Amino acid sequence: MSTLHTVNKSPFEKNSLADCLGYAKEGSAVLMYEDGVYGAMKGNAVAEKVAAASGVKFYALGPDLKARGISEEKLAEGIEVVDYAGFVSLAVENDKVSAWV
C-alpha cells in the first residue's frame, strides 16, 4: 500500500517533515507544499534527512516554490517539482493520503 504524505509546514517552524519521515516507508511519496517547500532546499540539516530516506520519492509544489522565491537550483537532489495537476495525480496514484500539519 503506497501513501502520499503531504507536508505544508516549514521544517524550521514545526517537526511535521521530521515526523513524516519517521513513518514514510519505501514506495511512499512526500509532497512538500506551502511553507513545507523549505524542506526541499539543499544545504541544511533537513536536506540530509531527506537524502537518507531511501525508497521514498520527494516532490515540491512548483507554484509554492515560486511564491517563496525558491528556484529549482536551490532544491536538494532528487526533489521533483510538480504543478497542481501533478499534486492531484500523486493523490490518485497512491492508495492513501496522509496530511502532516
Side-chain angles (χ1 to χ4, degrees):
M1 174 181 277
S2 63
T3 302
L4 171 64
H5 300 271
T6 62
V7 179
N8 70 335
K9 300 296 182 197
S10 168
F12 307 110
E13 175 188 352
K14 292 196 161 208
N15 291 330
S16 301
L17 181 57
D19 291 345
C20 166
L21 293 176
Y23 285 90
K25 297 180 179 174
E26 187 169 339
S28 296
V30 176
L31 173 67
M32 295 171 266
Y33 69 105
E34 296 178 352
D35 284 345
V37 296
Y38 290 113
M41 296 177 68
K42 62 184 172 185
N44 59 52
V46 177
E48 294 174 13
K49 292 178 183 175
V50 169
S54 66
V56 178
K57 292 184 176 183
F58 290 91
Y59 302 88
L61 190 62
D64 289 344
L65 290 169
K66 185 175 180 180
R68 287 154 182 81
I70 302 171
S71 66
E72 291 189 32
E73 292 79 30
K74 294 181 180 177
L75 299 181
E77 190 171 325
I79 303 287
E80 184 177 331
V81 177
V82 296
D83 57 12
Y84 291 113
F87 189 155
V88 173
S89 293
L90 286 169
V92 171
E93 292 168 3
N94 286 276
D95 297 317
K96 67 177 188 174
V97 177
S98 181
W100 296 85
V101 292

